[in-house]
Amino acid sequence: MLLSGKTAIISGAASPRGIGLATARRFVSEGARVAILDIDGAAAEAAAKSLEPISGEAHLGLACNVADRESCAKAVDAAAHVFGRIDILINNAGISQPVKLLEITSSDWDRIQDVNLKGVLFLSQAVVPHMRQRKSGSIACMSSVSAQRGGGIFGGPHYSAAKAGVLGLAKAMARELGPDGIRVNCVTPGLIGTDITAGKLTEEMKAKILEGIPLGRLGEAADVAGIYTFLASDLSAYVTGAVIDVNGGMLIH
């Protein structure tokens, strides 16, 4: 198993059809103990209870608002206290808003930036001291194809800006934290079938989108979970500062 004996924190992982919970399930199947963080604490606890225990030990579900530094510190300290160590952080939490440029308000901008970008900063800041102690760790951050192509299907320009910011932040973190044995990488998914897209994608829209995807299908949460697993494991021991596309060829550089 790729993650045997490892511990992981995954943010935004309580949604039943989401990438975060799919990642948690994959990590558990590879032998990791997992702490699920979500702004909905009850949902996080329920999601954690749905996972198979590892060697008889249960997983954690913790309330955490990633846009609040104190909330991140509290959740990370709780996970570290129970697990005794933190090997992996998946900065997965994010929100979107499908609006045009001139429709973006100041509060819209702040909300999208706070969760998608500031949340990566705050949760990473809380985890890094624990990883530095052990001179080892892997951090993976959720960006988006929207950051690379200047817009997506369901996210406005402020979403693209936040996800582009994640790329820059993660690369800077990779440079700074490399000497501490901490790797930092990003995933940039294309259109993935989750609750975010449920009910919003008409058959006409889907057909048009598929014309631009060489693999001929929309992505699934498990597709991204597999890449997160690679980045969390020793298979990627010499990979840091990387950006891995998970978009079926929607964007080929």
Side-chain angles (χ1 to χ4, degrees), residues 11 64-69 72 76 89-95 112-128 139-143 162-171 173 177 184-187 228:
S11 67
C64 180
N65 175 6
V66 295
D68 180 85
R69 180 182 267 119
C72 289
V76 168
L89 169 64
I90 305 298
N91 281 309
N92 178 74
I95 57 173
I112 295 297
Q113 299 294 323
D114 283 355
V115 176
N116 291 300
L117 183 52
K118 192 186 288 184
V120 172
L121 173 65
F122 286 166
L123 203 49
S124 299
Q125 286 178 325
V127 165
V128 164
I139 298 173
C141 305
M142 173 67 83
S143 182
K163 290 302 188 180
V166 171
L167 295 180
L169 175 60
K171 289 178 180 182
M173 286 166 54
L177 301 176
V184 187
N185 295 288
C186 282
V187 295
Y228 272 147

Side-chain angles (χ1 to χ4, degrees), residues 43-181:
E45 288 181 24
K49 286 178 182 176
S50 75
L51 302 173
E52 285 289 324
I54 295 293
S55 301
E57 294 184 299
H59 306 279
L60 289 178
L62 301 167
C64 180
N65 175 6
V66 295
D68 180 85
R69 180 182 267 119
E70 187 176 336
S71 181
C72 289
K74 184 178 177 181
V76 168
D77 286 347
H81 177 74
V82 173
F83 291 161
R85 57 192 273 181
I86 298 171
D87 300 297
I88 301 154
L89 169 64
I90 305 298
N91 281 309
N92 178 74
I95 57 173
S96 184
Q97 184 186 25
V99 295
K100 300 294 186 182
L101 179 71
L102 298 183
E103 298 169 352
I104 299 170
T105 67
S106 179
S107 60
D108 289 337
W109 177 271
D110 290 344
R111 185 168 58 89
I112 295 297
Q113 299 294 323
D114 283 355
V115 176
N116 291 300
L117 183 52
K118 192 186 288 184
V120 172
L121 173 65
F122 286 166
L123 203 49
S124 299
Q125 286 178 325
V127 165
V128 164
H130 295 278
M131 292 181 170
R132 267 184 169 154
Q133 254 183 339
R134 303 182 59 254
K135 288 287 182 181
S136 176
S138 174
I139 298 173
C141 305
M142 173 67 83
S143 182
S144 170
V145 68
S146 172
Q148 298 167 311
R149 65 189 293 268
I153 308 299
F154 295 111
H158 53 341
Y159 175 79
S160 295
K163 290 302 188 180
V166 171
L167 295 180
L169 175 60
K171 289 178 180 182
M173 286 166 54
R175 287 187 184 278
E176 183 175 336
L177 301 176
D180 295 303

Side-chain angles (χ1 to χ4, degrees), residues 16-49:
R17 295 180 63 242
I19 292 169
L21 187 53
T23 301
R25 292 189 184 115
R26 181 64 189 268
F27 280 14
V28 170
S29 75
E30 296 288 352
R33 284 187 76 194
V34 171
I36 287 177
L37 273 53
D38 200 274
I39 196 165
D40 185 337
E45 288 181 24
K49 286 178 182 176

